[in-house]
């Protein structure tokens, strides 16, 4: 059952990433690949404060999008996942 849930979630995650702005998506993907704030700042030509801010907003937006999808699937309010 868990594997089935993960398979179903992957298209949703891809869809959620498509809804993020390019700067937010870029920071979220780089961070999820293991890059540090400093490395991301260098790669994106921004400062660490900007990286942290974008990561915060990307997580919040992703959390809200996934929570909305889960509510539609269950018909009830479910707590959004934490990242």
């Amino acid at each position: 059952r868990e594997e089935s849930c993960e398979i179903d979630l992957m298209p949703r995650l891809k869809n959620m990433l498509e809804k993020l702005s390019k700067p937010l998506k870029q920071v979220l993907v780089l961070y999820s690949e293991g890059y540090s704030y400093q490395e991301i700042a260098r790669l994106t030509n921004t400062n660490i404060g900007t990286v942290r801010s974008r990561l915060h907003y990307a997580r919040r937006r992703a959390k809200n999008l996934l929570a909305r999808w889960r509510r539609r699937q269950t018909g009830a309010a479910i707590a959004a996942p934490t990242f």
Side-chain angles (χ1 to χ4, degrees):
R1 178 160 164 78
E2 185 176 315
E3 185 178 308
S4 170
C5 182
E6 288 178 14
I7 291 170
D8 189 43
L9 190 58
M10 288 309 293
R12 303 294 175 212
L13 290 173
K14 287 180 182 178
N15 185 281
M16 177 270 307
L17 279 174
E18 289 173 6
K19 293 183 179 187
L20 295 177
S21 68
K22 183 179 177 180
L24 296 183
K25 181 181 356 181
Q26 185 178 37
V27 169
L28 186 62
V29 169
L30 289 170
Y31 186 77
S32 71
E33 291 177 353
Y35 288 91
S36 69
Y37 292 151
Q38 189 166 4
E39 290 169 321
I40 297 169
R42 186 174 34 82
L43 290 168
T44 59
N45 199 29
T46 59
N47 62 50
I48 291 176
T50 300
V51 170
R52 288 182 172 186
S53 175
R54 288 178 180 173
L55 188 55
H56 168 77
Y57 286 111
R59 286 175 175 156
R60 188 167 76 179
R61 177 87 170 118
K63 186 176 176 179
N64 290 339
L65 288 168
L66 289 173
R68 189 178 324 154
W69 172 76
R70 291 173 81 186
R71 279 194 301 273
R72 278 186 285 187
Q73 295 301 310
T74 63
I78 298 176
T82 56
F83 289 96

